[in-house]
Amino acid sequence: MKLTFHTQTTQAQRSAFVCALQQTHVRHVVWHDASRCITGVAMWPGHEMLVPDMIAQAETLGEVTALHPDYPLASIDLKPSGHVQVGAHRIGPDTLTLMAGPCAIESAEQLEAIAVHVAASGAQFLRGGAYKGRTSPYAFQGLGAKAIEMLSTTAKRHGLYSVCEVVSEVHLPAYLSCIDVLQVGARNMQNFTLLKAIGQTQTPVLLKRGMSATYHEWLLAAEYILSHGNPNVILCERGIRSFEPMTRNTFDINAIALMRTLTHLPMMADPSHGTGQRALVGPIAKAAVAAGAMGVMCEVHTHPDRSMSDAAQALDCSSYQQLALALNVLHHVMTDSVSSAAAH
Ligand code: PEP
Ligand code: MN
């Protein structure tokens, strides 16, 4: 359940309620307004674990509403929409977040050359894989720990934030010291040990949808991270496995619109893995923004055909720059039409 305190409730009453709650086994999160006053508290599981006195008290102190029983913290019942702050950048409905870079970091020179174009395109994030979970054990596995360092320093040099996939909790300390956004890949969406470990940090996380995960399973994966204490979760649709072999995956545009009705978590799109073909990346990126995606992640390379992984879906740098421009225009049209419609 969610308790939003009435404005006339005193700070002492609010603190007393939270103190009493701390004496119970009910798990909860407390939120504050800008002045650090306690404004509300979410409790889960629901009413059944609260002593009747406390429920009665809650009803006098504020407005009590139900939260989704399976994913109370990820649910839209908690709040209509939210954002995740990364440094000075806000990922959420008001801004279009662009993340771009190679599938895998191949060398410092490769990353530097790509980063120049990513920064020039107006993207805010440089991406690049350090540990690549490849289908074949003989395929390039990534440069590992030294790539994390390269990504961090290269991104900083260009005024970009970094986003990098973490495949094991064993690697987490190396990421936490220098990476701005942790990515959980499709293959690890239900790696619960990893989700719990990331949940114990405050570092923002981009949680990709598993390739055959339902929306419900995806939200439960997000709930793992949220319920372990990390509120900074961003979702990313990256295509699902369907019966169609002509594209690598089937980008699920429904997910973008539907998730916005189920959760307050910011929603991004990855049209590179969603299609697997560079000619489809632009159209699907635009469709995702038109459907309400708050950001787009793309794979970009200075020599796409020479990419050591995912070459077929890599965009060249000038195509990416044009796409980034088009996506920003589209986002402006979308947000302007929404705000001008609201004014009428
Ligand atoms: C990636 O972004 O490089 C990646 C491996 O993505 P996914 O987990 O969506 O396949
Ligand atoms: Mn890739």
Side-chain angles (χ1 to χ4, degrees):
M1 64 183 247
K2 167 184 160 185
L3 167 60
T4 311
F5 289 107
H6 294 314
T7 43
Q8 65 269 30
T9 314
T10 65
Q11 192 52 30
Q13 288 173 309
R14 296 171 189 214
S15 303
F17 184 86
V18 172
C19 271
L21 192 57
Q22 276 155 357
Q23 311 306 311
T24 71
H25 294 293
V26 175
R27 298 177 69 193
H28 60 277
V29 288
V30 175
W31 60 91
H32 300 82
D33 65 16
S35 64
R36 303 301 293 159
C37 282
I38 299 171
T39 49
V41 49
M43 292 154 262
W44 75 99
H47 285 75
E48 66 281 1
M49 284 184 65
L50 278 182
V51 289
D53 276 8
M54 280 194 78
I55 297 175
Q57 202 191 350
E59 280 161 354
T60 64
L61 295 176
E63 192 189 332
V64 175
T65 50
L67 294 173
H68 193 285
D70 298 342
Y71 45 86
L73 299 178
S75 153
I76 197 138
D77 305 329
L78 192 68
K79 50 184 169 180
S81 71
H83 68 268
V84 170
Q85 193 74 34
V86 183
H89 181 74
R90 201 175 158 103
I91 302 179
D94 309 330
T95 30
L96 182 70
T97 298
L98 296 178
M99 301 180 169
C103 176
I105 296 163
E106 300 166 9
S107 67
E109 296 70 31
Q110 170 243 23
L111 191 62
E112 171 61 25
I114 296 170
V116 170
H117 294 280
V118 170
S121 73
Q124 304 89 358
F125 285 81
L126 183 65
R127 65 145 284 152
Y131 296 90
K132 297 304 299 179
R134 306 298 300 284
T135 304
S136 165
Y138 304 115
F140 175 58
Q141 303 285 311
L143 299 180
K146 63 181 180 207
I148 304 173
E149 192 62 39
M150 272 179 211
L151 180 64
S152 165
T153 52
T154 310
K156 283 200 184 93
R157 192 160 51 242
H158 291 278
L160 297 164
Y161 297 105
S162 53
V163 50
C164 191
E165 180 177 353
V166 54
V167 297
S168 163
E169 63 283 6
V170 172
H171 302 146
L172 206 45
Y175 283 74
L176 294 178
S177 59
C178 62
I179 295 297
D180 298 305
V181 173
L182 305 169
Q183 178 176 319
V184 174
R187 290 156 194 78
N188 273 310
M189 188 205 83
Q190 286 187 317
N191 179 340
F192 300 118
T193 311
L194 180 62
L195 300 180
K196 287 181 199 172
I198 290 175
Q200 280 156 23
T201 77
Q202 292 293 297
T203 305
V205 47
L206 184 75
L207 178 65
K208 289 213 180 177
R209 180 182 182 183
M211 58 184 81
S212 58
T214 63
Y215 302 134
H216 190 252
E217 288 164 341
W218 192 10
L219 288 166
L220 286 174
E223 192 75 13
Y224 260 92
I225 301 171
L226 298 167
S227 64
H228 281 79
N230 186 345
N232 302 311
V233 179
I234 307 140
L235 300 174
C236 183
E237 163 63 33
R238 50 77 71 201
I240 48 174
R241 187 164 279 186
S242 77
F243 54 80
E244 178 52 66
M246 244 187 237
T247 48
R248 180 178 180 184
N249 289 299
T250 295
F251 186 86
D252 179 12
I253 199 86
N254 290 1
I256 306 286
L258 183 75
M259 291 303 259
R260 292 194 67 171
T261 70
L262 300 177
T263 179
H264 56 86
L265 300 173
M267 183 70 193
M268 288 192 52
D270 169 358
S272 303
H273 295 87
T275 62
Q277 295 181 30
R278 74 176 61 108
L280 305 184
V281 171
I284 298 306
K286 291 173 195 162
V289 172
M294 300 163 200
V296 177
M297 172 184 263
C298 283
E299 289 189 344
V300 177
H301 203 286
T302 41
H303 300 91
D305 289 329
R306 285 196 241 144
S307 301
M308 292 173 79
S309 58
D310 290 350
Q313 68 196 36
L315 291 181
D316 65 67
C317 294
S318 79
S319 304
Y320 180 69
Q321 281 188 235
Q322 282 172 31
L323 176 60
L325 189 64
L327 295 178
N328 276 315
V329 170
L330 187 55
H331 182 254
H332 275 119
V333 171
M334 298 279 303
T335 42
D336 279 359
S337 65
V338 169
S339 46
S340 55
H344 287 96

